[in-house]
Amino acid sequence: MQRSEALGSGRGFRGAAHAGLDRLRDRLDSIDPRYRLALLAIAVLAVPFVLQNAYLVRLAGTIGIYIMLAIGLNVVVGYAGLLDLGYVAFYAVGAYMYAFLASPQYGLHLPFLLVLPIGALIAALFGMLLGYPVLRLRGDYLAIVTMGFGEIIRILLVNLAPVTGGPNGIRLIDPANIFGLNLSQAVDLGALRVDSVVNYYYLTMLFAAGCLLAVSRLNDSKIGRAWQAIRDDEIAAQCMGVHKSNLKLLAFATGAFLAGVAGVIFASWQQFVSPETFTIGELITIFCMIVLGGAGRLRGVVVGAIVLVVLPEFLREYSIYRMVIYGAVLVLIMRYRPQGLLGRGARWSAKKRQVTPASSISKITSSTKIEGPPGCTPDDVPMLEVDNLSKAFGGLQAVQGLTFTVRQGEIVSIIGPNGAGKTTVFNLISGLYRPSAGSIKYLGRPIVGVPPHKLAEMGIVRTFQNLRLFADMTVLENVMVGLHCMLKAGLLSIVLKTASFRRDEEMARAKAVALLGALGHSLIDRRDDIVLTLTYADRRRVEICRALACGPRLLLLDEPVAGMTSAEAQEMTSQIRLLRDAGYTVLLIEHHMNVVMGISDRIIVLDQGAIISEGTPEMVQNDERVIEAYLGRRRSWGKAAN
Amino acid sequence: MGKSGQLEQPLLRLTEVDASYGPVKVLQNVSLEVGTGEIVALLGANAAGKSTTLKCIMGSVRVSCGAIEFCGRTISSLSTTQIVAAGVGLVPEGRRIFTRLTVQENLRLGAFVRSDRNAVEQDLARIYGLFPRLAERRDQKGGTLSGGEQQMLAIGRALMSRPTLLCLDEPSMGLSPILVEAVFEIIHGIRREGTTILIVEQNAEMALSVADRAYVLQSGQIILSDTAANLLSNDLMRRAYLGV
Amino acid sequence: MLGSACCIRVVSQQALPVSLDEEMDLNLALAQLPQQFVNGITLGCLYALIALGYCMVYGVLEMLNFAHGEVFMVGGYLGWAIISNLVLGVTPRTNAVLILVIMLLVAMAGAGALGVGIEWFAYRPLRGASRLAPLISALGVSIFLQNAVMLGLGTRSKTYQTMALIPRDMSVSAGDVTIAGTRILIIVVSILLMFALHFFVQRTKWGTAMRATAQDREEASYLGIDANRVISLTFLIGSMLAGAAGVLVGLYYTQVDFMMGYSAGLKGFTATVLGGIGNVQGAMLGGLVLGLVEGLGAAFISPAYKDIIAFSVLILVLLVKPSGILGENLPEKV
């Protein structure tokens, strides 16, 4: 916001427009949610009576269809960050399913309410079918493959004439018939005559509202948080126990499901489907809706849908110039407001997004007690046994022949000069790299080849040297991603917002706040701030909280005090000690020698990928090889001056 | 240049420079000077702000406050391209050579800002003379070189722009002791040919053995500055590094 | 159509038609195999020219330039403007060569300037914004150009008087295979252009700078390489190749229309990905493979399914090799 104000002072109209849109957004934000909902409901109900024009009501109904499509695509693109350009194919699947099952084409006339779930589920199935093989692909490869898939479906619709009716499509599709009410006929309510188009308007709005509700609930659950985590930082998400592939598949399926719903409703409304509807142009329109409104947020998506349905209608007056203006407007909006109309600008300025209810805070005692790790571990097994571990990248031997053991309840530090291979060791233990040779055992179990999310669930949790927080999420949300594996609520109970789900969420929130409180009381006050607005030290603390939320037994801390002042570092040191006392085993990489020497039970010194010294702090400190590795070998001055 | 006080007309002067990444302040009030013909070392532990200081000099991180002068001219508002053209060269941390380009292409790119073709060819020959290993491998892809050879290539490439001031970011990082020694030998040779050098190092002993003077950074602030000889015998150094 | 906001209409199957229209039995198809092979190579050269633009831009900016197909289309129209103004009645052969050269040069210059302008206006201000923003901006440019051309020049396709320049009887025969003059022209011009590009990228100072910038923009800047100039140059060259492709496609199908950018762009994009994004040789290879697959697919299965065959091959290749035929598998940095 600071940015837009700065713009506003300097640049006349553009600045004013920015400020205006920001004000509008903030004003919308400031309305009480319940109040906002009621207002919205009344407005939606009143539309047909205000417009009094079949064409316009029809247009309004179209908005409903697009809202469903756009929030579905938003789940895939906005939440999970998957560039799915084959999305309209699922819309087509839904529409053609209804056309097949409720038209003279095959003589089937199944009821609307039966076909609706069938169509949506089959679309979701297609989503999974497409999603499964393409998950291995990176962003833009995924885009082109999904685009190809969309084209394949469309060409099949055109060319498989005996099955799909070919380019002419399928006609005479049954209208929706809900509990004996035929929506294609006007309903007489005494004085009030409700036209067919108004019926369908209400139908699309009803389902659009339902989809919005379902998606917003998903978004506020462990699933939504995991999606966002994957989008922000896939690697960190995996290390917090998020099963990347499953969640991406779920996003594909959810998006396709919503498109399927939209398709069935669309077919029953038009009573006609043809391949003409399911083009890449349609996809682009839906895409623009997401981005234009302010990517990722549901409200923005709704605004985008409205703007992009209504805008061309306004431009209709300029008939032939319509599309030229439309194209130019897209470019200009992106150029001058790349975050979308109601989106937020620079990340740093983002303030509280959602306010945690005070109820979940009040339960927090101000004690800074740290809870111990969950479950009990067999006493006599070492926490971690690393044997002859090596890793090469191409010709470069990053670590070679490492052998060491970490006993339960120890704090062991790995130190060594830059480039010694310390972080590689962490990447190997946490499953991000596969070793070239050697074995790793965790509580007696070999873990080489176990994926990172599984390791996190088993209790090996790490932090990252260069801070891999989920940048667009709040402090609390970041910590709650760590709780992913603990939360058991299923898809259905989330969408239905069952009591058990609400209890689960409440518990998670309380636990997250408690963790924040244990590591730094100031974090509780900033729980609803976007993490990027925190200081470096606070971000480090949040990352450790997030790791603790995972329920680790072995905690891998990669430079936990980097970038902290010495006072902050001291505080962190004592907190790490408290963690050990609470029962956690800690493996630590750190450059800050005061910290390392102060808290380590044992120290392992790496240089050039190999262990050059191991022992208590005193032993290591006085080891000539260590001093040499750190300060360099002292050379004769005569030689240097030569 | 026995004292670390004000130099008459330093080649490079940073005056009370502040820099931040977003809300995080990484440099505070950093002032330092490098005189013509000197080797100056900038020391400090990880994340002390050493690399950021170099990035500020190169113009890839903007200073939020303070000024940077080179040859008496303020460069803190220039683009990186202009700064390179003005005569500042950088050997970046971690041997960031272009792994998909050949050795020769890497070296030629070093002379990108120059238009004196004949002199460039001469310099190329000179670099190959300095690093015979590179001459042997001139048509190999940079990625196939060993760590030490990559460091040689990075240094050679920076020299190709004929910099007045050469900045080196952790040239010893990840190299074996013998290679480190070789690298510092080369740095010494470069200075003898008249190039001023600013070297950022974690390997303090090694850096101090070639440097005339040094500054020590801690948490974005300069906490010590003295001649290399004085710092070598200073116990504070050892404490800052090993916490003894 | 429900969506009143629909922006790009579906493109007819015939936007880039192969010369076969009727289905034929297998024997006939086999007999025509060499001929189809030549057809495939011709198509492949065109795809490769278009793919190079996508590929180079992706290499430097990691962005999909969705407006690239429209630059190609504008190139086709520029060629049309030249050919229909300069060809008056019967022309002596010497003039034909001159006209062809002028067409190519004008189209390349115009398309190049357009490409640079698009980057400067629609993409450069968005650097650092989310990945979706330039994508939408590119779509906007694409819609704008399509409709601007339609408004200015009408919806009907424009005829290229190819025959006046390259008579129908001008062809080379070898056994059963006859290669028409236009095909020879396309293959020769494409190969020349690709060779020139290869020379530029591999041998010149700016070409090396371009490769360096693609690999590490920050590091390149420390050598004094101005990323903005490299990016402009990339757009210039990529767009020039697309402009030339536009002229060649016009000559080949003897017509251009304002919708032709979409399907050509899609194919060029597919070819890029097939070969491995950001890899110049990959883009050339991807174009050829795609052209051949389409040509042979159209002959052996059905012209109606040639796109399905093309996309299926793409999907299969990516499933086996997720970064394309020549793409490097870069490990993710932790």
Side-chain angles (χ1 to χ4, degrees):
Chain A
M1 264 224 301
Q2 283 156 343
R3 205 178 72 136
S4 56
E5 270 161 23
L7 278 175
S9 58
R11 299 200 197 161
F13 171 74
R14 203 194 302 167
H18 268 292
L21 283 168
D22 286 339
R23 236 186 346 259
L24 176 65
R25 180 195 63 219
D26 293 341
R27 191 155 298 168
L28 284 176
D29 276 348
S30 64
I31 304 173
D32 183 291
R34 276 165 301 179
Y35 200 48
R36 193 160 52 189
L37 212 62
L39 270 179
L40 207 67
I42 291 168
V44 168
L45 283 173
V47 161
F49 303 98
V50 176
L51 292 178
Q52 290 284 352
N53 172 328
Y55 177 78
L56 293 181
V57 174
R58 189 181 175 78
L59 204 63
T62 309
I63 294 178
I65 298 266
Y66 275 117
I67 289 179
M68 283 182 255
L69 288 170
I71 57 175
L73 185 60
N74 190 44
V75 168
V76 188
V77 178
Y79 292 169
L82 303 163
L83 206 53
D84 178 6
L85 299 184
Y87 183 70
V88 270
F90 310 124
Y91 182 32
V93 167
Y96 271 84
M97 278 320 292
Y98 187 71
F100 291 158
L101 297 177
S103 78
Q105 181 83 357
Y106 296 107
L108 292 170
H109 294 281
L110 300 184
F112 174 80
L113 286 181
L114 178 63
V115 183
L116 188 70
I118 296 178
L121 284 174
I122 290 189
L125 191 71
F126 268 80
M128 305 251 262
L129 276 181
L130 170 64
Y132 188 72
V134 303
L135 282 183
R136 296 198 314 139
L137 303 177
R138 271 187 295 149
D140 299 297
Y141 289 85
L142 186 103
I144 182 67
V145 170
T146 49
M147 195 167 181
F149 174 80
E151 279 290 288
I152 288 176
I153 295 276
R154 193 184 60 78
I155 297 169
L156 286 178
L157 291 180
V158 172
N159 287 307
L160 290 177
V163 183
T164 63
N168 296 327
I170 297 174
R171 291 164 191 287
L172 300 171
I173 297 172
D174 299 345
N177 194 319
I178 297 173
F179 301 125
L181 184 72
N182 184 336
L183 294 191
S184 70
Q185 286 162 8
V187 183
D188 250 324
L189 295 174
L192 203 63
R193 213 182 103 90
V194 182
D195 284 329
S196 149
V197 63
V198 177
N199 288 333
Y200 273 106
Y201 165 78
Y202 285 133
L203 182 73
T204 66
M205 282 301 163
L206 183 70
F207 275 96
C211 292
L212 268 172
L213 189 68
V215 169
S216 79
R217 280 177 180 174
L218 274 183
N219 194 26
D220 287 339
S221 73
K222 65 177 263 196
I223 292 176
R225 288 190 295 267
W227 277 335
Q228 223 186 324
I230 290 174
R231 189 192 62 189
D232 280 356
D233 192 328
E234 220 169 74
I235 287 171
Q238 283 172 280
C239 290
M240 293 302 120
V242 173
H243 193 307
K244 176 179 80 167
S245 309
N246 280 358
L247 275 147
K248 283 184 174 178
L249 266 188
L250 183 63
F252 260 107
T254 308
F257 185 90
L258 294 182
V261 170
V264 170
I265 295 173
F266 169 79
S268 78
W269 184 8
Q270 300 299 300
Q271 299 175 29
F272 164 65
V273 292
S274 85
E276 276 289 284
T277 311
F278 309 105
T279 62
I280 191 83
E282 194 75 354
L283 174 80
I284 291 171
T285 309
I286 305 167
F287 243 104
C288 293
M289 288 170 178
I290 301 181
V291 179
L292 219 55
R297 309 278 149 79
L298 285 180
R299 189 192 51 202
V301 171
V302 173
V303 170
I306 295 170
V307 168
L308 284 192
V309 172
V310 173
L311 178 70
E313 293 306 315
F314 274 112
L315 297 177
R316 211 169 271 280
E317 292 180 34
Y318 311 98
S319 56
I320 58 168
Y321 301 107
R322 189 164 71 106
M323 294 314 289
V324 172
I325 299 174
Y326 181 78
V329 165
L330 283 186
V331 177
L332 291 174
I333 289 180
M334 283 303 114
R335 190 183 153 119
Y336 295 113
R337 207 174 159 82
Q339 73 269 40
L341 291 175
L342 294 189
R344 294 192 182 278
R347 277 167 170 178
W348 328 114
S349 65
K351 275 304 280 181
K352 302 197 177 188
R353 199 164 71 188
Q354 96 190 51
V355 177
T356 316
S359 62
S360 58
I361 307 306
S362 60
K363 293 178 192 148
I364 309 302
T365 52
S366 57
S367 82
T368 52
K369 188 177 161 289
I370 297 173
E371 264 183 68
C376 52
T377 46
D379 288 335
D380 43 351
V381 200
M383 186 57 78
L384 191 74
E385 290 163 277
V386 173
D387 187 31
N388 205 18
L389 190 68
S390 299
K391 174 74 187 170
F393 297 101
L396 193 78
Q397 195 74 33
V399 298
Q400 45 194 330
L402 296 191
T403 303
F404 64 89
T405 303
V406 178
R407 289 186 285 272
Q408 293 186 31
E410 266 191 315
I411 298 181
V412 175
S413 294
I414 301 179
I415 65 170
N418 265 344
K422 303 181 296 287
T423 297
T424 305
V425 174
F426 268 26
N427 288 340
L428 288 165
I429 297 173
S430 57
L432 290 175
Y433 290 165
R434 233 193 133 90
S436 322
S439 75
I440 309 172
K441 277 191 194 150
Y442 166 67
L443 292 173
R445 245 184 88 183
I447 55 163
V448 168
V450 179
H453 68 90
K454 202 77 207 159
L455 289 175
E457 217 180 323
M458 286 162 63
I460 302 181
V461 187
R462 67 174 294 179
T463 64
F464 296 87
Q465 178 187 1
N466 43 354
L467 277 173
R468 302 188 81 130
L469 285 169
F470 305 117
D472 276 340
M473 302 172 81
T474 65
V475 170
L476 197 66
E477 285 168 338
N478 262 281
V479 179
M480 284 170 81
V481 171
L483 291 162
H484 186 80
C485 296
M486 315 260 172
L487 300 177
K488 299 293 174 213
L491 196 60
L492 212 59
S493 73
I494 291 171
V495 171
L496 297 177
K497 213 172 181 176
T498 58
S500 76
F501 163 65
R502 273 178 300 185
R503 231 183 2 257
D504 236 21
E505 280 292 294
E506 189 74 3
M507 187 272 294
R509 190 160 292 140
K511 193 154 184 210
V513 173
L515 276 169
L516 287 173
L519 270 216
H521 217 74
S522 63
L523 288 177
I524 294 190
D525 297 330
R526 305 206 57 181
R527 63 189 178 273
D528 291 321
D529 289 1
I530 304 293
V531 283
L532 271 183
T533 62
L534 300 188
T535 63
Y536 209 65
D538 274 347
R539 283 193 255 168
R540 288 249 172 239
R541 292 193 186 104
V542 173
E543 212 191 20
I544 292 171
C545 284
R546 188 180 68 178
L548 287 174
C550 256
R553 287 183 186 136
L554 174 61
L555 199 54
L556 309 175
L557 301 177
D558 198 344
E559 299 197 26
V561 307
M564 289 188 172
T565 64
S566 48
E568 288 165 338
Q570 244 159 32
E571 190 191 353
M572 179 53 72
T573 312
S574 60
Q575 277 164 343
I576 294 172
R577 209 176 277 127
L578 283 176
L579 286 175
R580 191 245 332 254
D581 297 346
Y584 295 96
T585 307
V586 180
L587 189 59
L588 185 79
I589 293 177
E590 189 47 70
H591 280 287
H592 228 281
M593 288 302 154
N594 290 331
V595 174
V596 172
M597 300 299 165
I599 58 172
S600 309
D601 295 312
R602 280 185 307 126
I603 296 176
I604 296 167
V605 190
L606 283 189
D607 192 28
Q608 310 278 328
I611 296 178
I612 56 167
S613 179
E614 190 180 341
T616 60
E618 294 73 34
M619 285 158 66
V620 165
Q621 252 171 332
N622 295 315
D623 188 327
E624 269 306 313
R625 281 168 304 179
V626 178
I627 295 169
E628 191 177 297
Y630 264 86
L631 289 177
R633 187 147 33 129
R634 187 187 281 270
R635 309 186 314 167
S636 65
W637 277 97
K639 200 175 170 192
N642 229 332
Chain B
M1 241 160 297
K3 285 193 301 174
S4 58
Q6 289 272 318
L7 298 164
E8 287 283 299
Q9 167 62 17
L11 185 65
L12 177 79
R13 176 187 278 159
L14 274 70
T15 320
E16 295 172 3
V17 165
D18 285 12
S20 8
Y21 294 126
V24 186
K25 228 175 191 175
V26 268
L27 292 184
Q28 275 180 58
N29 219 8
V30 170
S31 297
L32 63 84
E33 289 171 350
V34 182
T36 307
E38 265 192 310
I39 296 185
V40 172
L42 186 57
L43 308 171
N46 238 21
K50 302 178 306 258
S51 293
T52 308
T53 310
L54 286 191
K55 285 184 176 174
C56 286
I57 296 171
M58 296 308 296
S60 69
V61 169
R62 289 278 159 224
V63 303
S64 44
C65 181
I68 303 176
E69 284 164 80
F70 178 70
C71 292
R73 173 179 167 212
T74 303
I75 57 165
S76 30
S77 57
L78 298 185
S79 73
T80 304
T81 317
Q82 289 167 312
I83 292 169
V84 173
V88 186
L90 172 72
V91 180
E93 185 183 354
R95 308 186 283 283
R96 274 164 72 177
I97 57 158
F98 300 110
T99 50
R100 281 180 242 159
L101 270 53
T102 64
V103 169
Q104 178 124 327
E105 284 171 338
N106 265 286
L107 288 175
R108 280 191 191 283
L109 270 188
F112 188 81
V113 291
R114 293 169 59 183
S115 50
D116 44 344
R117 279 184 161 228
N118 293 334
V120 169
E121 291 308 314
Q122 279 169 17
D123 281 358
L124 195 59
R126 193 171 62 94
I127 300 291
Y128 281 142
L130 205 58
F131 306 106
R133 294 288 284 167
L134 295 184
E136 284 166 32
R137 289 159 195 255
R138 68 178 74 194
D139 293 323
Q140 283 186 19
K141 289 264 155 63
T144 64
L145 300 186
S146 72
E149 288 163 350
Q150 293 191 4
Q151 186 62 273
M152 306 294 165
L153 180 56
I155 295 174
R157 191 181 59 186
L159 287 177
M160 284 297 290
S161 69
R162 276 203 183 167
T164 324
L165 170 69
L166 181 66
C167 303
L168 295 122
D169 196 350
E170 306 247 359
S172 75
M173 184 174 142
L175 295 182
S176 68
I178 296 170
L179 281 171
V180 172
E181 200 127 336
V183 165
F184 278 90
E185 211 65 59
I186 287 158
I187 291 169
H188 223 270
I190 295 168
R191 188 260 285 272
R192 250 178 327 205
E193 294 192 15
T195 308
T196 307
I197 291 169
L198 174 61
I199 178 170
V200 157
E201 254 304 341
Q202 205 183 24
N203 189 333
E205 196 93 28
M206 198 50 99
L208 289 176
S209 70
V210 290
D212 302 310
R213 295 185 302 117
Y215 295 86
V216 181
L217 267 177
Q218 196 179 59
S219 307
Q221 283 169 311
I222 289 187
I223 52 161
L224 269 179
S225 78
D226 208 333
T227 61
N230 287 347
L231 280 174
L232 266 177
S233 56
N234 191 336
D235 217 34
L236 277 175
M237 282 289 299
R238 202 171 141 97
R239 202 167 298 162
Y241 274 79
L242 278 182
V244 177
Chain C
M1 176 170 299
L2 221 187
S4 45
C6 172
C7 27
I8 296 183
R9 255 145 294 164
V10 63
V11 180
S12 68
Q13 289 286 302
Q14 281 73 36
L16 268 183
V18 278
S19 56
L20 293 184
D21 284 315
E22 72 278 9
E23 304 207 10
M24 53 194 70
D25 65 10
L26 191 66
N27 284 335
L28 192 57
L30 274 176
Q32 291 218 342
L33 186 63
Q35 187 68 55
Q36 293 302 338
F37 196 76
V38 174
N39 293 358
I41 298 245
T42 317
L43 209 54
C45 283
L46 293 172
Y47 289 159
L49 280 186
I50 301 166
L52 284 168
Y54 276 112
C55 163
M56 291 166 66
V57 167
Y58 192 89
V60 175
L61 277 184
E62 296 211 351
M63 146 195 189
L64 299 173
N65 177 15
F66 267 109
H68 191 62
E70 268 53 53
V71 174
F72 154 84
M73 178 266 294
V74 168
Y77 270 86
L78 285 170
W80 165 79
I82 303 295
I83 195 174
S84 43
N85 281 313
L86 292 187
V87 174
L88 300 162
V90 187
T91 327
R93 193 60 48 85
T94 47
N95 280 1
V97 174
L98 188 66
I99 292 174
L100 281 173
V101 170
I102 296 177
M103 279 168 75
L104 282 170
L105 287 181
V106 169
M108 286 169 80
L114 181 64
V116 172
I118 291 172
E119 191 274 324
W120 173 77
F121 186 83
Y123 306 153
R124 187 166 299 183
L126 297 182
R127 245 176 257 159
S130 79
R131 276 177 75 76
L132 282 178
L135 210 66
I136 299 294
S137 193
L139 291 171
V141 170
S142 171
I143 296 167
F144 176 83
L145 285 176
Q146 251 181 46
N147 289 280
V149 169
M150 181 193 75
L151 272 183
L153 299 166
T155 49
R156 305 217 0 224
S157 61
K158 302 292 179 197
T159 309
Y160 260 59
Q161 291 154 285
T162 311
M163 244 60 87
L165 295 180
I166 309 165
R168 194 181 281 275
D169 54 8
M170 204 175 97
S171 61
V172 175
S173 288
D176 293 343
V177 187
T178 307
I179 310 177
T182 33
R183 286 183 202 275
I184 296 174
L185 178 78
I186 289 170
I187 295 172
V188 168
V189 171
S190 305
I191 289 175
L192 280 179
L193 286 174
M194 282 190 246
F195 186 77
L197 176 77
H198 185 80
F199 178 82
F200 171 80
V201 171
Q202 295 296 332
R203 291 287 136 87
T204 66
K205 181 175 165 180
W206 278 96
T208 317
M210 196 183 272
R211 281 183 290 146
T213 306
Q215 194 185 332
D216 190 337
R217 200 190 298 175
E218 186 188 351
E219 176 46 29
S221 76
Y222 291 141
L223 302 181
I225 299 169
D226 184 347
N228 279 334
R229 286 178 70 182
V230 169
I231 289 165
S232 291
L233 186 69
T234 308
F235 271 84
L236 178 75
I237 294 171
S239 304
M240 280 167 69
L241 295 176
V247 171
L248 296 177
V249 165
L251 289 168
Y252 189 41
Y253 298 116
T254 67
Q255 64 173 51
V256 288
D257 68 62
F258 72 99
M259 302 300 297
M260 73 193 235
Y262 165 69
S263 79
L266 187 56
K267 287 298 165 54
F269 182 20
T270 307
T272 314
V273 176
L274 191 60
I277 292 185
N279 182 319
V280 171
Q281 283 91 353
M284 296 182 193
L285 184 67
L288 279 177
V289 170
L290 190 66
L292 278 173
V293 164
E294 257 191 68
L296 299 180
F300 282 97
I301 302 169
S302 154
Y305 289 105
K306 70 185 171 68
D307 285 356
I308 292 195
I309 298 160
F311 286 127
S312 305
V313 167
L314 171 78
I315 293 174
L316 284 178
V317 167
L318 289 187
L319 290 186
V320 179
K321 202 158 180 308
S323 46
I325 301 174
L326 293 186
E328 286 175 69
N329 251 332
L330 297 172
E332 202 151 357
K333 237 182 119 99
V334 183

